[in-house]
């Protein structure tokens, strides 16, 4: 699924050759399961060592480290909201995750960034709803920023791929190859 600057792919985020990959971390930034565990395993112990110096991260915020043994030069760690019932600022906090990651990427002059589907695993955010929020925040950011050239959303399963592709399709003004 292509957009002028947004691609949706199925795959493993640790294999992406981009300037930064985003980690769906927890408030401690000291590792966990899911994509967080896979990123730490692939990056090696230097990543955890660097993360220990960051003093954690608030939900919706983001912090950057080097990529260590990963193909990516940087990891941008963000903490998505745990889904409760949709009445606990989940939408707003998820939007902030995407916004703050892109803001850091811009600040560091990074042109390519890959995101996982934040909050939709252990944190149980409904993927269809999460995909609409993610795409609209990314499109909004790219609309006011020329520096980031390519945003890749790396989906780990078919359902996520279908939802993110549909969400991107709902943004007609951004279709390039119709
Ligand atoms: N590449 C891309 N996507 C992946 C990968 C991968 N290698 N592995 C899993 N996913 P989750 P969350 C997808 O649970 O919901 C951790 O323990 C997965 O299928 O990784 O934000 C942290 O430490 C799902 O669609 O993150 C936190 O405690 C998506 O990534 C907590 O989980 C996110 O699933 C964060 O939960």
């Amino acid at each position: 699924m292509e957009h002028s600057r947004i691609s949706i792919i199925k795959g493993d985020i640790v294999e992406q050759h981009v300037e930064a990959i985003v980690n769906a971390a927890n408030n401690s930034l000291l590792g966990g399961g899911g994509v967080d565990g896979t990123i730490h395993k692939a990056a090696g112990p230097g990543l955890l060592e660097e993360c220990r110096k960051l003093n954690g991260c608030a939900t919706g915020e983001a912090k950057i480290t080097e990529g260590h043994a990963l193909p990516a030069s940087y990891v941008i760690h963000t903490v998505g909201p745990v889904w409760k019932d949709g009445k606990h600022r989940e939408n707003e906090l998820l939007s902030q995750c995407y916004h703050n990651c892109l803001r850091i990427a811009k600040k560091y002059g990074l042109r390519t960034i890959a995101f996982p589907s934040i909050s939709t695993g252990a944190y149980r955010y409904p993927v269809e709803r999460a995909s609409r929020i993610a795409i609209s925040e990314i499109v909004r950011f790219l609309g006011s920023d020329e520096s980031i050239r390519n945003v890749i959303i790396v989906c780990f399963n078919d359902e996520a791929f279908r939802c993110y592709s549909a969400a991107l399709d709902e943004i007609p003004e951004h279709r390039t190859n119709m």
Side-chain angles (χ1 to χ4, degrees):
M1 182 60 56
E2 296 290 329
H3 163 281
S4 56
R5 286 189 283 157
I6 303 173
S7 317
I8 317 280
I9 66 163
K10 236 188 96 181
D12 187 335
I13 201 161
V14 299
E15 294 170 4
Q16 302 306 311
H17 291 257
V18 287
E19 289 175 322
I21 63 169
V22 171
N23 183 15
N26 57 58
N27 296 121
S28 78
L29 294 188
L30 299 179
V35 72
D36 193 8
T38 305
I39 289 173
H40 274 274
K41 194 167 168 207
L47 180 62
L48 182 59
E49 223 170 278
E50 196 182 350
C51 284
R52 284 191 203 286
K53 298 175 190 149
L54 299 177
N55 296 317
C57 183
T59 304
E61 299 290 323
K63 293 190 177 178
I64 191 167
T65 63
E66 294 193 4
H68 299 271
L70 290 164
S73 306
Y74 295 93
V75 179
I76 301 174
H77 306 262
T78 189
V79 184
V82 176
W83 176 264
K84 293 192 182 75
D85 53 7
K87 296 173 186 159
H88 288 78
R89 298 175 58 226
E90 291 97 329
N91 291 4
E92 182 191 337
L93 289 165
L94 187 62
S95 285
Q96 282 175 19
C97 287
Y98 286 92
H99 182 83
N100 286 322
C101 288
L102 291 165
R103 211 159 54 93
I104 290 185
K106 179 183 165 84
K107 186 173 160 198
Y108 278 70
L110 308 179
R111 288 157 304 171
T112 55
I113 177 170
F115 283 95
S117 174
I118 299 166
S119 281
T120 63
Y123 284 178
R124 302 183 314 274
Y125 207 112
V127 64
E128 192 175 339
R129 187 164 174 160
S131 66
R132 290 214 187 94
I133 289 167
I135 294 291
S136 76
E137 191 56 45
I138 293 166
V139 166
R140 187 178 11 238
F141 194 95
L142 294 182
S144 63
D145 175 73
E146 293 290 311
S147 67
I148 297 173
R149 302 308 309 156
N150 198 9
V151 176
I152 302 171
I153 298 175
V154 184
C155 299
F156 208 51
N157 56 49
D158 288 328
E159 191 196 10
F161 182 78
R162 189 176 47 71
C163 289
Y164 282 83
S165 300
L168 187 57
D169 253 356
E170 282 172 13
I171 307 201
E173 66 269 32
H174 285 274
R175 290 182 202 177
T176 50
N177 51 358
M178 292 296 294

